[in-house]
Amino acid sequence: MRLAALFILISISGCQGDLIETDDSITPTQEDPGFFWSASAYVANIDEDNSFPVLTNTYGLDVSYSSSNTTVATIAQDGKITLLSTGSTTISATFAGNGTYKTATASYSLVVTNGTDEGAGNYSFASTGDSSSDDDISNTVFTRLIRIAYSSGGATVTGDHFGYVTVNGNKVTVSNTGDECIVYELSGNTSNGSFKLYSARKQAILLNGVSITNPDGAVIDNQSGKRTFLMVEGSNTLADGTSAAYSTSNDEDMKAVIFSEGQLVISGGGSLTVNAINKQEKGCITSDDYIRIMDGPSLNLTSSSSAGHGIKGKDYVQLSGGNLTISVAAAKKKGIASDDYVLVQGGTHNISVTGGVAYDSEDAEYKGTAGIKADNYFGMTGGTVSIKNTGTGGKGVHAGSYDYDEETHSVSDSYISGGELTVTTSGKEVNDVSCKGIKIGWVTKSGSGERAKVTGSAGNLTISGGSVVVSAASSEGIECKGILTISGGETFVTSSGDDAINSLGEMDITGGYVYAYSSQNDAMDANGDLKISGGYVMAICTKGNPEVALDANTEGGYKLYIQSGATVVAYGGLENSYSSSQTIYSLSGTAGSWNALHNGSSYSAAFKLPAGVSSVAVTAPSLSNGYKSVNVEGATYCNGVWATSGITGGSKVSLGSYSGGGGPGGGPGGGGPGGH
């Protein structure tokens, strides 16, 4: 017999005892109530009769029923289910518990569908350029296509068999609670719409001739942490509004017109225009993971003077293809920004930045703009990138931040091994924020001005291939805070405000074609050793003493080394106390024209001098004669200033002696002590 309260009759010495109630502090062991559903999940069709899971109630206990989503289905207290709309809900039976049985709830997942499953199928896409990677959409098979068409009368949805999509006018929300990889195709037009996505599976968002403006915030708000493919077909436009508040709830955030919590991979054969015109510093495309652009799409991103970055990837940004045009106008914002690295592998990309310097209250410092900013490193193996930054304190490429590694403050080496990179900067320094064509790495100093001492630095750059063309109006063209190595490729740098090429550490040139021109400072300036052992190097400094063409930090015990195998043309003098294993000569050439070097049997190289420059210092392997006013019919390198074939004609000129430090052939300003 089971009793709610236990009484014990005690007999002592044959006499009847008293009834004694047990201590209230002693709780009897409660049993499992013994009820459960016959299935853990069930898919019902709203248009048909359904055999719903049955509750087994072993002890016949009184239970209460509930549905977590009463817009989809309700359940009466007799257990009868009524289907109301497509979607998903959880059906539960709950027992409150008593002295004998534990409190318990038994549930199952109910998905309500309707009619024929129009969206079911196997959907696949062609390769987008890297079939070995999961970022290539061809490696994913999708099992459902849901079409969402926006219009003035509100969005319509087809293919949503399981009721994942809810619609409020043209505001569409998807909650994929199933196991399917789904393609969401967006089309049509609306001036007040959005697409918000929740999912535990990877998916594709197919933009197929859609135009959406969301005056409240993000147009695409992807709250899924899984890989999302953004496929672009046809002509598409997405924009926010000037009064967009970008309001969020719970732990959600949305940082751009297109925002993704997870990896965002963009591809396709169409075009996409994104306009960020908000006043909340929100950008065009942002991911809290990485962003990769694959083959095909043409993207035109415009961010206004109050908005944010063109593209921002928290983990990294990888440009593997496509055609990208970015215009950013806000102060301290970037065309492309990454908390880690930026890697360019292919495609054609044009970035324009016009914003200036602004105070960042979070970091308590002034910050400028950049075409590309990577907190770790910048890499380029292919493709074409053109950057123009007209803003004050603006940089073209800026890689390597002191704060990237909070413990060691180290950064990975930046590199350029292929592709074409063109950078133009025209702004001036403001609030100690300098302009640079390309800046690699960081430096810390103690003190200020000329007495400041370097206390730490990091950031190496290697150029081994490709083409680099930099024009800086008021700063260094290339500044590397570590070791700068040029072993190949074509590097053409001019500056009218500072050194053309500068390294805080050693500068080592072993190959390639190099042209460095400065009208205000050294052409090439290494604060460590400057070593040239190969390649073709032309360094032009027109400033005059104490600036020189090739400068090493002799005050710090370093030296300029010119070694066998190098071909060098210099105007403006060499660093005093240089060391050369090849004879340095002076050559009187023709300004603004092609001149050549001859090894006794053939022309070894031709070089085009800038206007106003004629008498230069030269050296090359087996150099025997010089020629001026030659013809070049072969290929040219380094923005058309070097050639090694197809050289004919010209007038032979004698080679003179060069005494160094502003001697014959050194040009004006031969280079006083240190050349700084």
Side-chain angles (χ1 to χ4, degrees):
M1 178 181 294
R2 295 182 176 88
L3 302 174
L6 178 63
F7 296 88
I8 302 174
L9 179 64
I10 302 177
S11 174
I12 301 177
S13 301
C15 298
Q16 184 175 0
D18 299 325
L19 286 173
I20 303 176
E21 185 175 355
T22 58
D23 191 330
D24 290 340
S25 64
I26 301 175
T27 302
T29 301
Q30 292 175 300
E31 297 184 22
D32 187 282
F35 64 93
F36 53 88
W37 293 102
S38 58
S40 60
Y42 183 73
V43 178
N45 191 317
I46 198 171
D47 299 322
E48 298 177 357
D49 293 330
N50 298 279
S51 298
F52 297 103
V54 176
L55 182 71
T56 295
N57 190 348
T58 305
Y59 303 118
L61 303 175
D62 291 333
V63 297
S64 59
Y65 296 98
S66 64
S67 169
S68 64
N69 189 347
T70 55
T71 64
V72 172
T74 60
I75 182 169
Q77 288 312 301
D78 61 0
K80 182 180 179 181
I81 291 177
T82 301
L83 303 181
L84 301 175
S85 67
T86 58
S88 60
T89 186
T90 299
I91 300 298
S92 300
T94 301
F95 174 64
N98 58 27
T100 303
Y101 298 104
K102 300 175 183 178
T103 300
T105 298
S107 304
Y108 73 90
S109 174
L110 174 63
V111 176
V112 181
T113 65
N114 61 350
T116 304
D117 191 353
E118 300 177 34
N122 288 327
Y123 303 93
S124 59
F125 298 86
S127 173
T128 53
D130 187 3
S131 58
S132 64
S133 170
D134 286 341
D135 287 337
D136 196 311
I137 195 171
S138 65
N139 292 319
T140 300
V141 175
F142 301 89
T143 57
R144 179 165 301 279
L145 171 63
I146 296 178
R147 290 187 169 95
I148 302 168
Y150 293 86
S151 68
S152 58
T156 57
V157 180
T158 58
D160 181 27
H161 188 64
F162 297 108
Y164 299 141
V165 184
T166 58
V167 176
N168 181 10
N170 277 299
K171 299 295 179 74
V172 177
T173 301
V174 176
S175 296
N176 179 8
T177 57
D179 294 327
E180 295 181 299
C181 294
I182 300 175
V183 178
Y184 304 95
E185 182 185 71
L186 311 186
S187 63
N189 300 274
T190 179
S191 59
N192 187 11
S194 62
F195 178 80
K196 188 172 187 178
L197 174 63
Y198 298 93
S199 173
R201 302 282 291 177
K202 60 183 175 181
Q203 56 265 311
I205 301 172
L206 172 59
L207 305 181
N208 193 4
V210 67
S211 177
I212 304 174
T213 296
N214 184 6
D216 301 319
V219 174
I220 295 178
D221 182 7
N222 176 27
Q223 292 296 318
S224 170
K226 298 297 183 178
R227 180 183 284 106
T228 298
F229 299 96
L230 184 65
M231 290 288 293
V232 179
E233 298 296 339
S235 178
N236 307 273
T237 301
L238 307 179
D240 61 12
T242 56
S243 60
Y246 280 84
S247 300
T248 58
S249 59
N250 301 321
D251 294 329
E252 293 182 1
D253 57 6
M254 50 179 174
K255 303 172 182 176
V257 177
I258 300 175
F259 173 70
S260 179
E261 281 287 348
Q263 307 101 315
L264 186 63
V265 183
I266 306 173
S267 59
S271 65
L272 170 62
T273 297
V274 181
N275 296 318
I277 60 175
N278 65 85
K279 298 179 180 179
Q280 306 293 328
E281 299 187 33
K282 307 297 184 180
C284 293
I285 302 176
T286 295
S287 170
D288 272 352
D289 205 292
Y290 68 76
I291 294 176
R292 186 175 181 185
I293 298 177
M294 307 291 282
D295 278 351
S298 294
L299 309 180
N300 190 338
L301 315 180
T302 301
S303 182
S304 73
S305 59
S306 298
H309 306 301
I311 291 178
K312 171 67 185 298
K314 185 175 182 180
D315 284 2
Y316 60 83
V317 175
Q318 188 168 342
L319 307 181
S320 301
N323 296 280
L324 178 61
T325 301
I326 299 177
S327 178
V328 175
K332 73 183 181 183
K333 299 303 179 183
K334 283 71 178 174
I336 298 175
S338 169
D339 290 348
D340 197 322
Y341 66 85
V342 173
L343 174 60
V344 183
Q345 298 174 307
T348 301
H349 315 291
N350 296 283
I351 303 171
S352 173
V353 181
T354 59
V357 173
Y359 188 74
D360 189 317
S361 58
E362 183 176 347
D363 293 333
E365 62 180 357
Y366 285 94
K367 293 183 178 180
T369 59
I372 294 176
K373 173 65 168 67
D375 285 351
N376 189 9
Y377 72 90
F378 170 77
M380 187 168 183
T381 62
T384 300
V385 175
S386 178
I387 299 172
K388 183 177 182 180
N389 192 334
T390 61
T392 56
K395 298 172 178 64
V397 175
H398 184 191
S401 168
Y402 178 81
D403 296 324
Y404 170 69
D405 187 317
E406 295 182 355
E407 294 184 0
T408 67
H409 304 292
S410 62
V411 294
S412 301
D413 293 350
S414 292
Y415 60 90
I416 299 171
S417 61
E420 299 177 8
L421 173 62
T422 303
V423 175
T424 302
T425 60
S426 58
K428 298 182 180 298
E429 179 175 325
V430 172
N431 295 115
D432 293 327
V433 179
S434 61
C435 296
K436 308 288 180 183
I438 298 175
K439 180 181 179 181
I440 304 298
W442 57 266
V443 63
T444 55
K445 296 181 179 180
S446 63
S448 59
E450 295 183 357
R451 295 182 178 274
K453 294 184 178 181
V454 174
T455 58
S457 63
N460 301 326
L461 171 64
T462 296
I463 300 174
S464 61
S467 170
V468 180
V469 178
V470 180
S471 175
S474 62
S475 67
E476 286 91 353
I478 295 178
E479 182 186 58
C480 177
K481 294 304 185 182
I483 299 171
L484 173 60
T485 302
I486 301 177
S487 61
E490 304 170 46
T491 304
F492 180 96
V493 185
T494 64
S495 173
S496 55
D498 210 322
D499 301 329
I501 301 177
N502 176 282
S503 66
L504 185 60
E506 181 177 301
M507 191 182 301
D508 193 2
I509 302 174
T510 63
Y513 299 89
V514 180
Y515 178 87
Y517 177 101
S518 175
S519 61
Q520 291 297 318
N521 217 327
D522 302 317
M524 302 178 70
D525 180 6
N527 286 276
D529 289 327
L530 173 50
K531 298 178 180 179
I532 306 174
S533 60
Y536 301 84
V537 177
M538 192 187 321
I540 308 294
C541 168
T542 62
K543 174 65 174 176
N545 189 41
E547 316 306 339
V548 293
L550 297 171
D551 182 15
N553 183 11
T554 54
E555 300 100 319
Y558 300 99
K559 185 178 288 191
L560 165 64
Y561 297 92
I562 300 176
Q563 299 168 329
S564 297
T567 298
V568 178
V569 176
Y571 177 84
L574 306 182
E575 176 63 68
N576 284 338
S577 303
Y578 70 87
S579 173
S580 178
S581 57
Q582 295 180 163
T583 302
I584 308 293
Y585 300 98
S586 65
L587 169 67
S588 294
T590 303
S593 182
W594 284 102
N595 302 270
L597 304 176
H598 200 277
N599 61 19
S601 60
S602 62
Y603 290 109
S604 60
F607 53 93
K608 179 178 283 188
L609 291 173
V613 174
S614 58
S615 182
V616 291
V618 297
T619 186
S622 303
L623 180 60
S624 61
N625 292 297
Y627 281 79
K628 63 180 181 179
S629 300
V630 299
N631 298 315
V632 174
E633 298 176 353
T636 62
Y637 305 95
C638 206
N639 212 27
V641 299
W642 279 108
T644 56
S645 64
I647 306 166
T648 61
S651 302
K652 183 177 179 180
V653 295
S654 299
L655 298 175
S657 62
Y658 179 77
S659 59
H676 296 287

